[in-house]
Amino acid sequence: TKRSNELGLYDLSGNVREWCKDWYNRNYYLNSPQDNPQGPCSGKDPVLRGGCCATNVRSCRVYARGVMPLVVPGGPNRFSGFRLVLLD
């Protein structure tokens, strides 16, 4: 029921944090390309973007980045997910 954003994607914020294909590096964007940075190709922890029902309002933005440890104590993280995209 929502409109798509300028990239043609729907409802990017608020349900779960999205698990992205790049790896977390706190300083990556200090020296990254200005146009369409792809993120590091390798690293220790995957990137999570956006927020979820368990985060504060400031974190519920598409550009909010965090880390998802590959080993989560207590089992899977129910507040993280991923988006499948069909490209034409």
Side-chain angles (χ1 to χ4, degrees):
T1 61
K2 297 184 179 191
R3 292 188 209 173
S4 64
N5 67 10
E6 64 275 2
L7 301 173
L9 301 173
Y10 296 84
D11 196 16
L12 284 175
S13 301
N15 294 327
V16 295
R17 295 173 292 183
E18 292 193 25
W19 179 4
C20 300
K21 74 171 188 170
D22 57 335
W23 297 89
Y24 187 79
N25 179 326
R26 174 177 281 187
N27 298 318
Y28 174 77
Y29 289 105
L30 295 175
N31 298 308
S32 69
Q34 290 284 326
D35 192 29
N36 195 21
Q38 298 296 304
C41 297
S42 63
K44 179 182 170 205
D45 298 309
V47 169
L48 290 173
R49 286 202 179 269
C52 69
C53 60
T55 57
N56 61 34
V57 173
R58 185 173 179 212
S59 296
C60 284
R61 297 174 189 225
V62 177
Y63 62 80
R65 293 173 65 241
V67 117
M68 182 176 75
L70 290 176
V71 178
V72 179
N77 188 333
R78 66 178 184 249
F79 299 114
S80 302
F82 58 93
R83 182 179 297 266
L84 299 175
V85 178
L86 176 64
L87 300 174
D88 291 334

